[in-house]
């Protein structure tokens, strides 16, 4: 009898926990609300200082403020984040790759809890503070960009992965010396993608996309980058710069070669 009762309680608990929805807590900060679960109760203070820093860096880069408050959601595990992305992106079968840890749009930054990175993430280590900060700043730039874009969740943005990702990469400092050197090497070896549409792919995607935005910034200035923020099509962007894609690529190549 005793064993049966113990088993009954045990299975009831398992079933109960499987069907209990995740309990989210909310905390207001300057310009955003953090949503988190019990798992991050104690560690969230450390994350929040990274969020604050990322938000500050994005604003400093553009010398402009965020246009509205947003939400930062710290998912307790990859399953929670995948479920969120499946709903947000209307892709019910979506399963994230192991290197995917965060995303940002105008209203929200989703992040897989760093407490889970050791078990559920490849390529990123939370302990590498500098890279972790840049990663969060990158997402904060996406949030900023979304708030200035005609398509706040980027769903209508076409042929501009190189620009959206390149901007976040460059503004967050991820287009570092090492990545620029790798692009330079690929250029001298004639191993570059032939169009901008392919720049955000492969192992050099950060360096390729980031250095194009770095070039646009140096040639046209920061005010021009801000002017480009609302755009959703590659042609619109090239029209504002008054340049063809071929010419932009040719000028960018010279710029990359000149980089130290
Ligand atoms: Zn990104």
């Amino acid at each position: 009898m005793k064993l049966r009762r113990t088993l009954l309680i045990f299975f009831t608990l398992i079933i109960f926990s499987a069907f209990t929805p995740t309990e989210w807590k909310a905390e207001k900060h300057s310009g955003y609300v953090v949503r988190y679960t019990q798992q991050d109760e104690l560690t969230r203070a450390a994350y929040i200082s990274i969020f604050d820093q990322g938000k500050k860096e994005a604003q400093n880069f553009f010398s402009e403020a965020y246009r509205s408050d947003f939400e930062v959601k710290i998912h307790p595990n990859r399953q929670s984040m995948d479920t969120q992305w499946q709903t947000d992106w209307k892709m019910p079968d979506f399963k994230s790759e192991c290197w995917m840890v965060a995303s940002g749009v105008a209203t929200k930054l989703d992040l897989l809890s760093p407490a889970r990175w050791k078990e559920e993430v490849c390529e990123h280590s939370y302990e590498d503070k500098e890279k972790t900060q840049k990663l969060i700043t990158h997402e904060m730039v996406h949030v900023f960009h979304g708030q200035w874009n005609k398509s706040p969740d980027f769903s209508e943005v076409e042929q501009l992965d190189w620009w959206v990702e390149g901007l976040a990469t460059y503004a967050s400092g991820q287009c570092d010396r090492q990545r620029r050197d790798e692009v330079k090497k690929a250029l001298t070896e004639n191993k570059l993608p032939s169009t901008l549409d392919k720049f955000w792919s492969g192992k050099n995607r950060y360096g390729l996309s980031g250095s194009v935005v770095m070039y646009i910034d140096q040639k046209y200035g920061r005010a021009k980058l801000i002017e480009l923020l609302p755009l959703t099509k590659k042609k619109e962007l090239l029209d504002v710069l008054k340049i063809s894609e071929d010419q932009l690529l040719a000028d960018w190549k010279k710029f990359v070669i000149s980089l130290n």
Side-chain angles (χ1 to χ4, degrees), residues 29 33 35-36 55 60 66 80 84 86 104 138 149 153 167 170-171 177 213 216 251:
H29 287 272
V33 170
R35 294 195 195 282
Y36 63 97
K55 183 169 163 272
N60 286 347
Y66 282 78
S80 166
Q84 182 78 58
Q86 286 160 4
H138 175 120
N149 196 268
D153 63 356
L167 179 64
Y170 170 54
R177 175 89 185 244
V213 178
I216 295 173
D251 295 348

Side-chain angles (χ1 to χ4, degrees), residues 97-160:
E97 303 286 336
C98 64
W99 49 267
M100 298 178 178
V101 291
S103 66
V105 293
T107 53
K108 189 164 60 110
L109 192 162
D110 284 289
L111 172 70
L112 172 57
S113 167
R116 299 295 306 159
W117 285 16
K118 272 206 175 84
E119 287 81 12
E120 297 196 288
V121 171
C122 59
E123 294 182 28
H124 305 290
S125 159
Y126 176 64
E127 281 69 38
D128 189 333
K129 295 289 172 214
E130 200 185 320
K131 284 198 174 141
T132 298
Q133 179 63 63
K134 285 178 180 171
L135 185 151
I136 296 297
T137 304
H138 175 120
E139 300 305 334
M140 286 289 180
V141 174
H142 284 324
V143 175
F144 185 97
H145 191 175
Q147 294 190 359
W148 288 65
N149 196 268
K150 283 184 275 183
S151 173
D153 63 356
F154 302 110
S155 58
E156 324 246 303
V157 171
E158 286 168 23
Q159 293 184 293
L160 285 178

Side-chain angles (χ1 to χ4, degrees), residues 61-62 145 148 163 167 213 215-231 236-243:
F61 178 85
F62 294 107
H145 191 175
W148 288 65
W163 156 246
L167 179 64
V213 178
Y215 168 67
I216 295 173
D217 186 36
Q218 299 204 358
K219 169 84 191 285
Y220 300 85
R222 195 65 45 100
K224 187 61 81 179
L225 291 190
I226 292 169
E227 202 183 315
L228 300 177
L229 290 176
L231 309 180
E236 293 173 343
L237 190 145
L238 294 170
D239 285 351
V240 171
L241 298 182
K242 297 189 180 72
I243 198 166

Side-chain angles (χ1 to χ4, degrees), residues 102-104 138-139 142 164-166 168-169 174 200 206:
S103 66
H138 175 120
E139 300 305 334
H142 284 324
V164 174
E165 294 300 342
T169 298
Q174 288 176 314
W200 185 252
Y206 285 90

